[in-house]
Amino acid sequence: SSRVMNSWEKEGIIDKEELAEGKWRKYSKVEAIWLSIVNELREFGFALDKIRKIKNVLFNAELNFSPLEYAIAQTIMIQNIVIVVYSDGTTYVLPENVYQSMFLQNPLRTHVCINLFPIIYNHFPNNNFNTLQQTQKSGITEKELQLLYYLRTGDYQSIKIIFKDGEISLLEADRKINPSSKIIDIINNKQYQKIEIHTQQKKVVSITTKEKIRL
């Protein structure tokens, strides 16, 4: 509810967002996944000050690729990641197989384990996660990891890869948008360089956007 969202913004659980037309809030996929994690933590009774501490870990500002972004990319492409949270807010982001092996080595004190895969699965309805690898791969650069992330989400119809000096520099991706979306919201998103709108009998039947993603 708006009351809960206002409270979470005030407490620093989510970053304050400017309201779009109609007072709708707009969040990225990563932020939406974080909101789902917050919901689960609240169901387990975590206080907001503890959740704020967890957020500081998962959105570490000192890193270019936050631990939560990395965990999402890993879960989509390579192996499932879990978030282990203790009652004091101490948080660890671990591969699922590492977490399981810890039980065999040492008893773990009471904690909450959040499985990222079902959360992420629900946020990408067109996903192609059936090919998810359960073994760790090596030799993948950060840019290749980001590229695989966009390939696996199933959100794009096509992706063009542009290289510079032998390295991936830019992606040009075509995405189909729900034709019932407000055109002004799509324009204000600022991610899209080109928007194609097709109409039939004076009704919008399809919207395609070309998005440029700099890696």
Side-chain angles (χ1 to χ4, degrees):
S1 67
S2 59
R3 181 183 60 81
V4 171
M5 299 295 279
N6 289 334
S7 173
W8 288 359
E9 284 183 354
K10 184 179 178 181
E11 294 291 334
I13 304 302
I14 53 177
D15 295 330
K16 188 173 181 59
E17 296 286 333
E18 291 186 9
L19 299 183
E21 183 181 354
K23 296 185 177 180
W24 288 96
R25 288 175 168 87
K26 296 195 296 183
Y27 296 99
S28 69
K29 289 283 191 183
V30 174
E31 291 167 330
I33 290 169
W34 165 242
L35 285 172
S36 295
I37 293 172
V38 173
N39 275 327
E40 294 208 9
L41 291 169
R42 291 295 283 168
E43 287 180 6
F44 279 99
F46 276 82
L48 292 181
D49 62 327
K50 297 296 193 320
I51 295 177
R52 188 166 54 246
K53 182 177 179 180
I54 296 165
K55 179 193 174 189
N56 291 337
V57 174
L58 296 182
F59 289 91
N60 189 332
E62 297 178 0
L63 304 174
N64 292 329
F65 210 51
S66 75
L68 181 57
E69 289 176 307
Y70 182 78
I72 292 169
Q74 284 279 319
T75 298
I76 289 174
M77 296 175 296
I78 299 174
Q79 60 181 339
N80 195 21
I81 301 293
V82 299
I83 299 174
V84 177
V85 183
Y86 292 99
S87 58
D88 62 355
T90 301
T91 305
Y92 297 98
V93 179
L94 301 170
E96 186 177 34
N97 60 343
V98 172
Y99 171 70
Q100 291 172 347
S101 68
M102 290 170 65
F103 281 99
L104 302 176
Q105 299 173 8
N106 297 296
L108 298 179
R109 59 191 175 98
T110 303
H111 62 275
V112 169
C113 177
I114 297 176
N115 186 352
L116 273 183
F117 187 82
I119 295 175
I120 294 171
Y121 193 95
N122 289 333
H123 280 279
F124 291 96
N126 301 316
N127 70 73
N128 185 28
F129 298 163
N130 291 332
T131 55
L132 179 67
Q133 298 290 331
Q134 294 300 326
T135 56
Q136 179 69 41
K137 294 182 179 179
S138 59
I140 299 177
T141 68
E142 183 175 309
K143 288 186 176 181
E144 290 170 337
L145 197 65
Q146 288 178 277
L147 171 59
L148 288 173
Y149 171 82
Y150 288 107
L151 291 174
R152 287 290 180 92
T153 62
D155 282 354
Y156 300 98
Q157 290 179 294
S158 63
I159 296 178
K160 178 181 178 182
I161 306 169
I162 299 174
F163 290 86
K164 183 178 180 181
D165 299 327
E167 291 190 0
I168 300 172
S169 174
L170 186 71
L171 304 181
E172 290 186 357
D174 292 331
R175 184 206 297 257
K176 268 198 172 181
I177 303 294
N178 188 329
S180 64
S181 301
K182 289 186 177 180
I183 304 300
I184 191 65
D185 287 344
I186 300 173
I187 294 172
N188 288 338
N189 200 306
K190 298 181 181 179
Q191 296 183 47
Y192 308 109
Q193 305 298 317
K194 183 178 179 182
I195 302 172
E196 291 184 359
I197 302 172
H198 297 271
T199 63
Q200 185 176 354
Q201 296 178 349
K202 299 182 180 181
K203 291 184 178 181
V204 176
V205 293
S206 70
I207 303 174
T208 304
T209 62
K210 185 177 292 292
E211 178 179 345
K212 290 189 178 181
I213 306 162
R214 190 167 298 280
L215 300 182

